[in-house]
Amino acid sequence: MLKNKRLESRRKKISKDVELFVERSFDIVDRIHFILQKQGKEQKDLAKALGKTESEISKWMTGTHNFTMKTLTKIEAVLGEPILQTVKQDNAEVKQKKIEVTESVFSMPSSEKRTSLPMQFHTLFTGECEPRYYA
């Protein structure tokens, strides 16, 4: 198959986040289509259940719509099946690095480098809201 050089050049410049966004968007639409088909429903049924127009649902289902979590949870509630699944971790499995805080200077135990404590950390650890700068 003959490939357009300009198009291929543009594809190579697409950032990873844009690639992932498009991929996830199509995954979501594919999942919704699958559930509708499995339940013997059509897009118009989804539109009616959500109180939307058929044309709006049709636009969503092109694969380029930026779904909000609120919209996705409404769709899940109407269809009675999950669209997205998250990975939950047990707190015992999560290992956190400890931060050593001394005189508003912190360091990671695995590093010899020391850095001035950013304002948000200074406020968090000391409760003081006025900016302080340490040399």
Side-chain angles (χ1 to χ4, degrees), residues 108-130:
M108 298 303 289
S110 62
S111 171
E112 292 298 316
K113 295 181 181 179
R114 291 189 175 267
T115 307
S116 296
L117 188 64
M119 181 60 195
Q120 67 266 23
F121 290 123
H122 178 77
T123 302
L124 177 68
F125 290 115
T126 66
E128 295 177 16
C129 295
E130 292 186 25

mmCIF file of all heavy atoms in Angstrom, residues 108-130:
data_model
loop_
_atom_site.group_PDB
_atom_site.id
_atom_site.type_symbol
_atom_site.label_atom_id
_atom_site.label_comp_id
_atom_site.label_asym_id
_atom_site.label_seq_id
_atom_site.Cartn_x
_atom_site.Cartn_y
_atom_site.Cartn_z
ATOM 1 N N MET A 108 15.704 12.860 50.297
ATOM 2 C CA MET A 108 15.210 11.499 50.184
ATOM 3 C C MET A 108 16.291 10.598 50.748
ATOM 4 O O MET A 108 17.473 10.830 50.494
ATOM 5 C CB MET A 108 14.941 11.141 48.722
ATOM 6 C CG MET A 108 13.866 11.994 48.066
ATOM 7 S SD MET A 108 12.280 11.940 48.910
ATOM 8 C CE MET A 108 11.770 10.307 48.521
ATOM 9 N N PRO A 109 15.953 9.597 51.529
ATOM 10 C CA PRO A 109 16.968 8.730 52.124
ATOM 11 C C PRO A 109 17.929 8.124 51.110
ATOM 12 O O PRO A 109 19.087 7.911 51.415
ATOM 13 C CB PRO A 109 16.142 7.644 52.808
ATOM 14 C CG PRO A 109 14.813 8.277 53.056
ATOM 15 C CD PRO A 109 14.609 9.243 51.931
ATOM 16 N N SER A 110 17.464 7.901 49.882
ATOM 17 C CA SER A 110 18.318 7.275 48.882
ATOM 18 C C SER A 110 19.208 8.272 48.150
ATOM 19 O O SER A 110 19.955 7.910 47.264
ATOM 20 C CB SER A 110 17.462 6.519 47.862
ATOM 21 O OG SER A 110 16.624 7.436 47.204
ATOM 22 N N SER A 111 19.134 9.558 48.513
ATOM 23 C CA SER A 111 19.868 10.580 47.791
ATOM 24 C C SER A 111 20.689 11.422 48.745
ATOM 25 O O SER A 111 20.292 11.695 49.864
ATOM 26 C CB SER A 111 18.884 11.480 47.033
ATOM 27 O OG SER A 111 19.558 12.585 46.501
ATOM 28 N N GLU A 112 21.819 11.869 48.283
ATOM 29 C CA GLU A 112 22.670 12.744 49.079
ATOM 30 C C GLU A 112 22.334 14.215 48.828
ATOM 31 O O GLU A 112 22.793 15.075 49.534
ATOM 32 C CB GLU A 112 24.139 12.479 48.747
ATOM 33 C CG GLU A 112 24.618 11.108 49.195
ATOM 34 C CD GLU A 112 24.523 10.925 50.710
ATOM 35 O OE1 GLU A 112 24.896 11.846 51.450
ATOM 36 O OE2 GLU A 112 24.046 9.860 51.132
ATOM 37 N N LYS A 113 21.554 14.504 47.803
ATOM 38 C CA LYS A 113 21.220 15.876 47.456
ATOM 39 C C LYS A 113 20.208 16.444 48.440
ATOM 40 O O LYS A 113 19.288 15.770 48.861
ATOM 41 C CB LYS A 113 20.642 15.954 46.041
ATOM 42 C CG LYS A 113 21.623 15.567 44.969
ATOM 43 C CD LYS A 113 20.989 15.688 43.606
ATOM 44 C CE LYS A 113 21.975 15.276 42.522
ATOM 45 N NZ LYS A 113 21.376 15.358 41.207
ATOM 46 N N ARG A 114 20.394 17.707 48.810
ATOM 47 C CA ARG A 114 19.446 18.407 49.668
ATOM 48 C C ARG A 114 18.928 19.614 48.900
ATOM 49 O O ARG A 114 19.645 20.244 48.159
ATOM 50 C CB ARG A 114 20.095 18.848 50.966
ATOM 51 C CG ARG A 114 20.425 17.683 51.858
ATOM 52 C CD ARG A 114 20.856 18.184 53.225
ATOM 53 N NE ARG A 114 21.055 17.065 54.106
ATOM 54 C CZ ARG A 114 20.117 16.591 54.913
ATOM 55 N NH1 ARG A 114 18.944 17.146 54.957
ATOM 56 N NH2 ARG A 114 20.356 15.569 55.698
ATOM 57 N N THR A 115 17.675 19.946 49.126
ATOM 58 C CA THR A 115 17.039 21.024 48.394
ATOM 59 C C THR A 115 16.205 21.855 49.353
ATOM 60 O O THR A 115 15.694 21.345 50.339
ATOM 61 C CB THR A 115 16.102 20.429 47.313
ATOM 62 O OG1 THR A 115 16.841 19.513 46.536
ATOM 63 C CG2 THR A 115 15.530 21.506 46.435
ATOM 64 N N SER A 116 16.033 23.140 49.043
ATOM 65 C CA SER A 116 15.146 23.980 49.848
ATOM 66 C C SER A 116 13.739 23.439 49.762
ATOM 67 O O SER A 116 13.290 22.993 48.708
ATOM 68 C CB SER A 116 15.169 25.418 49.332
ATOM 69 O OG SER A 116 16.448 25.966 49.498
ATOM 70 N N LEU A 117 13.058 23.494 50.866
ATOM 71 C CA LEU A 117 11.709 22.961 50.933
ATOM 72 C C LEU A 117 10.737 23.888 50.206
ATOM 73 O O LEU A 117 10.675 25.074 50.512
ATOM 74 C CB LEU A 117 11.293 22.835 52.406
ATOM 75 C CG LEU A 117 9.986 22.133 52.707
ATOM 76 C CD1 LEU A 117 10.074 20.674 52.271
ATOM 77 C CD2 LEU A 117 9.684 22.198 54.188
ATOM 78 N N PRO A 118 9.983 23.394 49.216
ATOM 79 C CA PRO A 118 9.006 24.230 48.510
ATOM 80 C C PRO A 118 7.943 24.756 49.472
ATOM 81 O O PRO A 118 7.688 24.156 50.507
ATOM 82 C CB PRO A 118 8.389 23.276 47.489
ATOM 83 C CG PRO A 118 9.357 22.157 47.365
ATOM 84 C CD PRO A 118 10.040 22.057 48.691
ATOM 85 N N MET A 119 7.325 25.873 49.124
ATOM 86 C CA MET A 119 6.361 26.544 49.993
ATOM 87 C C MET A 119 5.242 25.612 50.451
ATOM 88 O O MET A 119 4.891 25.593 51.610
ATOM 89 C CB MET A 119 5.775 27.760 49.266
ATOM 90 C CG MET A 119 4.790 28.542 50.095
ATOM 91 S SD MET A 119 5.561 29.171 51.577
ATOM 92 C CE MET A 119 4.138 29.622 52.514
ATOM 93 N N GLN A 120 4.670 24.825 49.537
ATOM 94 C CA GLN A 120 3.546 23.983 49.939
ATOM 95 C C GLN A 120 3.962 22.944 50.967
ATOM 96 O O GLN A 120 3.222 22.631 51.879
ATOM 97 C CB GLN A 120 2.841 23.336 48.747
ATOM 98 C CG GLN A 120 3.632 22.313 47.978
ATOM 99 C CD GLN A 120 4.348 22.909 46.786
ATOM 100 O OE1 GLN A 120 4.617 24.092 46.749
ATOM 101 N NE2 GLN A 120 4.666 22.099 45.801
ATOM 102 N N PHE A 121 5.209 22.435 50.884
ATOM 103 C CA PHE A 121 5.689 21.477 51.871
ATOM 104 C C PHE A 121 5.995 22.193 53.187
ATOM 105 O O PHE A 121 5.738 21.677 54.256
ATOM 106 C CB PHE A 121 6.934 20.732 51.382
ATOM 107 C CG PHE A 121 6.642 19.778 50.269
ATOM 108 C CD1 PHE A 121 7.298 19.882 49.061
ATOM 109 C CD2 PHE A 121 5.712 18.778 50.426
ATOM 110 C CE1 PHE A 121 7.036 19.006 48.033
ATOM 111 C CE2 PHE A 121 5.433 17.892 49.403
ATOM 112 C CZ PHE A 121 6.091 18.010 48.200
ATOM 113 N N HIS A 122 6.543 23.397 53.098
ATOM 114 C CA HIS A 122 6.848 24.167 54.301
ATOM 115 C C HIS A 122 5.554 24.400 55.081
ATOM 116 O O HIS A 122 5.496 24.178 56.288
ATOM 117 C CB HIS A 122 7.494 25.507 53.930
ATOM 118 C CG HIS A 122 7.777 26.367 55.129
ATOM 119 N ND1 HIS A 122 8.838 26.119 55.959
ATOM 120 C CD2 HIS A 122 7.122 27.438 55.638
ATOM 121 C CE1 HIS A 122 8.838 27.010 56.933
ATOM 122 N NE2 HIS A 122 7.796 27.830 56.752
ATOM 123 N N THR A 123 4.479 24.804 54.387
ATOM 124 C CA THR A 123 3.190 25.046 55.031
ATOM 125 C C THR A 123 2.643 23.755 55.613
ATOM 126 O O THR A 123 2.154 23.730 56.731
ATOM 127 C CB THR A 123 2.187 25.631 54.011
ATOM 128 O OG1 THR A 123 2.734 26.834 53.492
ATOM 129 C CG2 THR A 123 0.852 25.913 54.654
ATOM 130 N N LEU A 124 2.765 22.677 54.871
ATOM 131 C CA LEU A 124 2.247 21.385 55.311
ATOM 132 C C LEU A 124 2.925 20.919 56.591
ATOM 133 O O LEU A 124 2.282 20.498 57.531
ATOM 134 C CB LEU A 124 2.440 20.343 54.201
ATOM 135 C CG LEU A 124 2.019 18.911 54.525
ATOM 136 C CD1 LEU A 124 0.505 18.849 54.668
ATOM 137 C CD2 LEU A 124 2.476 17.977 53.436
ATOM 138 N N PHE A 125 4.251 21.015 56.637
ATOM 139 C CA PHE A 125 4.990 20.474 57.769
ATOM 140 C C PHE A 125 5.092 21.428 58.957
ATOM 141 O O PHE A 125 5.187 21.001 60.082
ATOM 142 C CB PHE A 125 6.399 20.044 57.343
ATOM 143 C CG PHE A 125 6.385 18.836 56.461
ATOM 144 C CD1 PHE A 125 6.815 18.918 55.153
ATOM 145 C CD2 PHE A 125 5.926 17.617 56.920
ATOM 146 C CE1 PHE A 125 6.795 17.808 54.333
ATOM 147 C CE2 PHE A 125 5.899 16.506 56.108
ATOM 148 C CZ PHE A 125 6.331 16.594 54.807
ATOM 149 N N THR A 126 5.096 22.741 58.707
ATOM 150 C CA THR A 126 5.286 23.689 59.799
ATOM 151 C C THR A 126 4.004 24.408 60.183
ATOM 152 O O THR A 126 3.909 24.966 61.254
ATOM 153 C CB THR A 126 6.338 24.761 59.430
ATOM 154 O OG1 THR A 126 5.807 25.551 58.365
ATOM 155 C CG2 THR A 126 7.653 24.143 59.056
ATOM 156 N N GLY A 127 3.026 24.439 59.282
ATOM 157 C CA GLY A 127 1.777 25.143 59.555
ATOM 158 C C GLY A 127 1.894 26.637 59.305
ATOM 159 O O GLY A 127 0.939 27.370 59.466
ATOM 160 N N GLU A 128 3.085 27.132 58.950
ATOM 161 C CA GLU A 128 3.290 28.552 58.688
ATOM 162 C C GLU A 128 2.907 28.860 57.247
ATOM 163 O O GLU A 128 3.214 28.106 56.344
ATOM 164 C CB GLU A 128 4.749 28.937 58.901
ATOM 165 C CG GLU A 128 5.179 28.773 60.354
ATOM 166 C CD GLU A 128 6.656 29.085 60.546
ATOM 167 O OE1 GLU A 128 7.261 29.704 59.652
ATOM 168 O OE2 GLU A 128 7.193 28.681 61.580
ATOM 169 N N CYS A 129 2.218 29.972 57.040
ATOM 170 C CA CYS A 129 1.752 30.319 55.711
ATOM 171 C C CYS A 129 2.612 31.350 55.011
ATOM 172 O O CYS A 129 2.446 31.591 53.840
ATOM 173 C CB CYS A 129 0.312 30.834 55.779
ATOM 174 S SG CYS A 129 -0.828 29.555 56.327
ATOM 175 N N GLU A 130 3.495 32.019 55.747
ATOM 176 C CA GLU A 130 4.331 33.029 55.109
ATOM 177 C C GLU A 130 5.521 32.348 54.446
ATOM 178 O O GLU A 130 6.121 31.432 55.009
ATOM 179 C CB GLU A 130 4.825 34.048 56.139
ATOM 180 C CG GLU A 130 3.689 34.895 56.677
ATOM 181 C CD GLU A 130 4.188 36.002 57.589
ATOM 182 O OE1 GLU A 130 5.359 36.402 57.441
ATOM 183 O OE2 GLU A 130 3.419 36.434 58.448
#
